[in-house]
Amino acid sequence: MILPTLTVTAAAQKFISRMVRFSEHPTGGFRLTVSAGGCSGYNAEFTVEPAAQAGDGELLVNGVKVFLPAESRLMLDGVTIDFADTPTRSGLTFINPNAAACGCSTSGDAAAPPAQATVSVSSITRMSSASAGH
């Protein structure tokens, strides 16, 4: 199984670690599902799971298991995962140096930074065992 080469900043490591530590599965892992979409190139969802699902790859990030489905592994290769906590947004941010900057804005800059996507902390939902199919 090929795992992506990705960078996880200290801020993102801290967020991932806290999500797992304070979940109902503190010995489990952080499952990150990334798909194409949105202006910045990524839509992402995450949950804390007791174990990897069939087909998931597993990375160890500062001692915490991160489970990545196959599609996510492909999309995250070369990406930096960061965490932003500002008055206007809070969540994981994905920085892909290989993606083109978004061209949907008329105020775009030719020297725009690499594409970024943010997953809001407020979008986190806790899945019950019954709805998770366990």
Side-chain angles (χ1 to χ4, degrees):
M1 176 178 303
I2 297 174
L3 294 174
T5 301
L6 57 89
T7 302
V8 181
T9 67
Q13 288 177 16
K14 183 177 179 180
F15 173 74
I16 290 168
S17 176
R18 285 182 175 192
M19 290 299 300
V20 174
R21 186 176 349 135
F22 296 113
S23 74
E24 60 188 52
H25 306 293
T27 59
F30 187 88
R31 187 166 197 269
L32 178 62
T33 305
V34 179
S35 60
C39 180
S40 55
Y42 294 112
N43 288 319
E45 295 179 6
F46 53 90
T47 55
V48 175
E49 302 288 336
Q53 296 182 14
D56 283 356
E58 183 178 317
L59 290 174
L60 227 80
V61 176
N62 202 23
V64 177
K65 294 176 267 190
V66 176
F67 307 134
L68 299 170
E71 321 77 57
S72 299
R73 292 193 306 269
L74 292 172
M75 295 189 73
L76 291 173
D77 196 39
V79 169
T80 296
I81 301 174
D82 195 6
F83 180 80
D85 190 12
T86 67
T88 58
R89 68 179 183 170
S90 183
L92 291 176
T93 300
F94 302 88
I95 305 165
N96 184 354
N98 302 316
C102 177
C104 63
S105 173
T106 57
S107 62
D109 182 350
Q116 295 185 1
T118 300
V119 179
S120 172
V121 173
S122 63
S123 68
I124 301 169
T125 58
R126 182 175 292 213
M127 295 177 61
S128 69
S129 296
S131 65
H134 296 278

